[in-house]
Amino acid sequence: MVALLIALAVVGIAFAVAWDAEGDARRAAGTMEQDWLPPELLGAKLAYSEPRPMRIYRPVPVVAKVDRAYRHPEGDLSVVEFKTRPRHVVYASDVLELSQQRLVLERSGRGKVRPVGFVVTERRGTDERRTHRVKLLDADASIEAAKRYKGIIDGTVTPRKTDNTRFCARCAFVRECKPELVEQEIGERSSL
Amino acid sequence: MRRMKDLQHVSASQVAELGTCEYRVMLQARHGKRTTVAQAFAMDEGTARHERFHEQGQRARVESDAKRWCFVASAVYGEAAPQTAVLRGFRDRVLRNSRYGRLAIRVYYRYSPSIALLIQRRPEVARLMRGVLDIVIVGLKRLGLAGGEQC
């Protein structure tokens, strides 16, 4: 009986240590799962969490690392992409990335992926997370995007320049692409 | 004939760059990847935060597994071990039948993933827990509180 009590005391201490360690981990993490998980995923089970890259060979060779994929009780999947941003915004690139993940998951036989995915943005400096719903591209459009990328790399497709001058101002290739922007910035600085 | 593995894969994140600027994709292919200091800093920070998100995912997965299994006992003895079955039985036939027992189960579900992770990482903790649980199992059997075969 004494041995049993001692054993129970040790189990109690183990739980206390675990409680303390978990508290530290969560405090260090700053954010809890339930803070950002959208209602659509509450009944779903986490199926993939950035495991090894997944590959498909047909109809176009694509490799994808899935940040998270949740399996719903019905058997289909939802994809989640995590992004660290200065603001809570979603870009077209997020939709393209999630759509490629959808293509890879479906064509590799892991299951059907719902047409709405999620982008979780974490704001720099604050650790605050926000979830955004995005409509994903269908398989044909995703395949077309992958082929277009290959075409640009091979030189068979003419690439388009972005109209977003704020992006250009931060781009490392601005001198090669839009030298007039660099000249303009130098002019503005010298006039100050 | 070209082997399947020789095909050059396009990554999802590469295709995503089309949404930012196609011309930059072409320039990167021609001159190599180039980043500004601010971009390099942001990428480093993003990688660290990504790892944290991944770690939280692993934890969430362990937590969801713990709800179905006696996770600590499974980590110590193995999922199909008779000792695990005794503890599962104690949980389901004794603890579930009382208010405080159900509270204890809730506490167990909440914190057992942390213990299970510790057991997976540290073999000496696994040995200690095994010794403790052996005593608990013997005590439960003597008191007639040991459960049956299944969870």
Side-chain angles (χ1 to χ4, degrees), chain A residues 51-158:
Chain A
R52 285 179 299 177
M54 301 171 188
R55 285 168 200 277
I56 55 166
Y57 296 91
R58 288 199 181 93
V60 59
V62 178
V63 59
K65 260 185 165 182
V66 178
D67 274 350
R68 288 199 191 177
Y70 288 82
R71 196 174 294 283
H72 295 276
E74 297 81 14
D76 50 354
L77 295 159
S78 283
V79 280
V80 176
E81 176 69 14
F82 177 77
K83 294 288 176 194
T84 306
R85 301 257 157 88
R87 290 180 297 135
H88 290 294
V89 283
V90 176
Y91 297 114
S93 57
D94 301 329
V95 175
L96 281 167
E97 189 163 4
L98 278 169
S99 301
Q100 292 297 312
Q101 292 173 11
R102 179 191 191 192
L103 179 73
V104 170
L105 282 165
E106 287 189 340
R107 297 296 168 109
S108 62
R110 288 176 168 91
K112 194 169 161 43
V113 179
R114 289 191 177 181
V116 172
F118 302 91
V119 179
V120 180
T121 54
E122 187 168 280
R123 209 174 141 202
R124 281 196 201 107
T126 63
D127 284 353
E128 183 202 357
R129 284 181 188 167
R130 208 171 281 176
T131 310
H132 316 261
R133 280 166 193 78
V134 288
K135 195 170 181 318
L136 306 180
L137 303 178
D138 61 23
D140 289 343
S142 297
I143 292 163
E144 207 50 52
K147 283 182 178 171
R148 185 170 178 81
Y149 178 86
K150 286 202 120 189
I152 290 170
I153 299 296
D154 298 342
T156 54
V157 173
T158 309

Side-chain angles (χ1 to χ4, degrees), chain B residues 16-52:
Chain B
E17 287 179 26
L18 297 181
T20 310
C21 178
E22 290 184 352
Y23 205 75
R24 188 176 73 164
V25 169
M26 188 266 289
L27 288 171
Q28 278 184 344
R30 202 176 281 174
H31 303 291
K33 205 169 169 93
R34 200 187 290 173
T35 50
T36 62
V37 175
Q39 283 168 341
F41 180 77
M43 279 164 67
D44 283 349
E45 192 189 356
T47 304
R49 285 173 185 250
H50 233 92
E51 279 169 14
R52 194 176 75 181

Side-chain angles (χ1 to χ4, degrees), chain B residues 43-97:
Chain B
M43 279 164 67
D44 283 349
E45 192 189 356
T47 304
R49 285 173 185 250
H50 233 92
E51 279 169 14
R52 194 176 75 181
F53 186 71
H54 175 56
E55 201 171 289
Q56 288 168 356
Q58 295 299 328
R59 185 178 283 270
R61 189 185 276 181
V62 168
E63 281 175 2
S64 95
D65 286 344
K67 293 195 176 182
R68 288 186 290 133
W69 299 316
C70 299
F71 205 75
V72 171
S74 298
V76 171
Y77 297 110
E79 207 185 310
Q83 293 97 324
T84 307
V86 168
L87 291 166
R88 281 172 178 163
F90 173 65
R91 179 192 68 186
D92 291 342
R93 296 178 189 193
V94 181
L95 293 179
R96 273 199 210 286
N97 290 331

Side-chain angles (χ1 to χ4, degrees), chain A residues 17 68 73 76 125 160 162 174-175 177 183 185:
Chain A
V17 170
R68 288 199 191 177
D76 50 354
R160 289 183 294 246
T162 183
V174 66
R175 280 180 191 280
C177 181
E183 295 298 323
E185 198 185 324

